Amino acid sequence: MQFEGPLSKMSTFYGEEIRYSLRLGNDLLFMNQFIGKTVEISFDGNHTCFCGHLVPEVYRQNFCRECFFTKPEASPTIMKPELSKAHLGIEERDLEFEKRLQLQPHYVYLAKTERIKVGVTRNTQMPFRWMDQGAKSAAILLEVPNRYVAGEAEVALKDHFVDKTSWQAMLKDNLTEEDLMEAIQRAQSLLPKHLNNFVYEDAVEWHFNYPVKHQIEKVKSISLKSQGDQLKGELFGIRGQYLITENGVFNVRSHSGCMVKMKVT
Ligand SMILES: [Zn+2]
C-alpha cells in the first residue's frame, strides 16, 4: 500500500483504546491497523504551508515566514493566552479572527504524564488536546468565559505546576505517582480569589489508553529534514502525535506540511 501527500496532525478518537487517523492526499488512513507492520515514510524535500504555498523550508511552527509574522493563526497569543486582548476590543493581527478564537469558553486543566502539568484549551478541543499530548489522564479545573482569563489562571498556577512535560518521558511511559484529583483540589486552593467562581464542579479524571503493543525503553527521535530522509521500521504503537517504531519515534504533527510518500508492508 502506498500513499502520498502533505503530512498533517493525526485525528484522535476517544474510546477504550485511542484510535488515530491520518489524512494523506486523498486517503484517510486508520493508523491503528498498521501497528505490527513496516511503515516507511520518505520526504521529498518540499513543504506546504497552511496558506497553500509550496515552500522549500518552513520558518517556525510549520508556517512559512510570511504567515508566521502576519497571520492571526501564528500570533504570539496562540502560545501565550495571557497576552490575549480581544476581550478589550484590541486588535493584534485580525480582531474578527481573534474575537472568534478568544471570546469563547476555555478550560484550564491538569494533565498527567511523568509530572502533572497545567494547560489551557478551548472547550471544543477537549478531550482531543489531551490525547495529542499523550497524557495518561487529565481533569478540568476551571471553565472560564474567554482565553484571557484562562491565561491568567495558567500563569497563577505556573509557580506550582509545570506547563510543559517531557515527551521522552511520556514515550517511555514514565508516570508520576501523584494523584491527579488531589492535585485538582490543591490547585483550587491556590487560585487567586477572583477565579474561584470558575471552578469546574463536575471534574472527573479521564483516562487514556494508547495503542502501544511494545513499550520502548530508549527514545530516539527521527526527523525528516531534507530530500530523501526517511523513517522505516515496524510500527510498535502510537501515542500523542508520535509514531513509535523499532528504529525511533516520529512526531507527525511537527512534520505538518512535509510532502511525503508513505508505504506500508
Ligand atoms: Zn504561509
Side-chain angles (χ1 to χ4, degrees):
M1 284 180 285
Q2 188 162 321
F3 316 94
E4 64 178 288
L7 281 175
S8 57
K9 142 183 166 32
M10 293 180 283
S11 298
T12 48
F13 303 88
Y14 183 70
E16 206 162 291
E17 182 172 77
I18 291 159
R19 285 164 297 142
Y20 285 91
S21 72
L22 174 68
R23 179 159 296 286
L24 203 55
N26 296 321
D27 296 294
L28 183 65
L29 310 173
F30 291 95
M31 297 301 288
N32 298 45
Q33 65 178 328
F34 298 150
I35 293 170
K37 299 200 160 132
T38 298
V39 172
E40 186 179 333
I41 297 178
S42 358
F43 182 35
D44 83 356
N46 290 305
H47 300 80
T48 49
C49 176
F50 88 120
C51 63
H53 290 143
L54 198 63
V55 287
E57 203 166 13
V58 287
Y59 184 65
R60 272 178 218 159
Q61 295 163 22
N62 308 319
F63 292 109
C64 70
R65 195 183 164 94
E66 190 183 335
C67 286
F68 184 79
F69 287 109
T70 59
K71 293 275 167 46
E73 288 86 347
S75 89
T77 49
I78 302 289
M79 303 303 276
K80 296 191 167 198
E82 69 272 21
L83 302 178
S84 300
K85 291 196 175 69
H87 64 293
L88 304 172
I90 298 175
E91 175 174 86
E92 199 184 349
R93 291 183 175 182
D94 174 344
L95 188 57
E96 283 315 306
F97 177 95
E98 285 146 13
K99 278 183 171 168
R100 273 200 307 280
L101 179 81
Q102 296 174 20
L103 305 186
Q104 57 169 305
H106 278 65
Y107 289 133
V108 180
Y109 62 84
L110 296 183
K112 175 166 158 174
T113 48
E114 97 285 7
R115 286 183 288 182
I116 291 182
K117 73 158 235 153
V118 58
V120 161
T121 186
R122 275 170 285 158
N123 65 354
T124 52
Q125 294 305 302
M126 204 278 301
F128 313 107
R129 181 63 178 272
W130 298 332
M131 297 187 277
D132 285 346
Q133 291 171 348
K136 204 71 189 192
S137 74
I140 299 168
L141 172 66
L142 303 174
E143 183 174 22
V144 300
N146 64 49
R147 194 167 177 82
Y148 174 75
V149 180
E152 205 185 0
E154 190 186 36
V155 169
L157 291 170
K158 271 183 194 175
D159 292 338
H160 310 278
F161 298 93
V162 294
D163 62 341
K164 286 187 180 63
T165 55
S166 146
W167 55 270
Q168 291 94 338
M170 179 272 285
L171 291 167
K172 283 187 210 161
D173 204 27
N174 293 347
L175 187 64
T176 172
E177 285 176 9
E178 254 184 289
D179 185 275
L180 185 75
M181 297 317 278
E182 274 173 32
I184 287 274
Q185 298 285 330
R186 187 157 65 87
Q188 284 177 1
S189 68
L190 292 166
L191 285 170
K193 281 215 162 44
H194 71 285
L195 295 175
N196 283 338
N197 293 339
F198 302 118
V199 165
Y200 190 74
E201 299 293 345
D202 306 317
V204 288
E205 184 169 1
W206 290 62
H207 293 271
F208 305 103
N209 178 28
Y210 298 92
V212 177
K213 72 155 198 171
H214 177 76
Q215 181 55 52
I216 51 170
E217 306 293 329
K218 283 199 185 119
V219 175
K220 179 184 157 221
S221 169
I222 294 176
S223 43
L224 309 179
K225 294 202 178 86
S226 40
Q227 185 182 5
D229 281 359
Q230 64 161 222
L231 157 83
K232 187 177 180 183
E234 185 188 338
L235 183 63
F236 285 161
I238 311 174
R239 182 163 172 183
Q241 283 289 324
Y242 285 87
L243 300 180
I244 302 166
T245 78
E246 61 177 329
N247 295 319
V249 301
F250 178 74
N251 185 333
V252 176
R253 183 181 211 168
S254 75
H255 288 82
S256 292
C258 287
M259 301 295 292
V260 299
K261 279 199 174 70
M262 178 167 152
K263 222 157 96 181
V264 182
T265 47

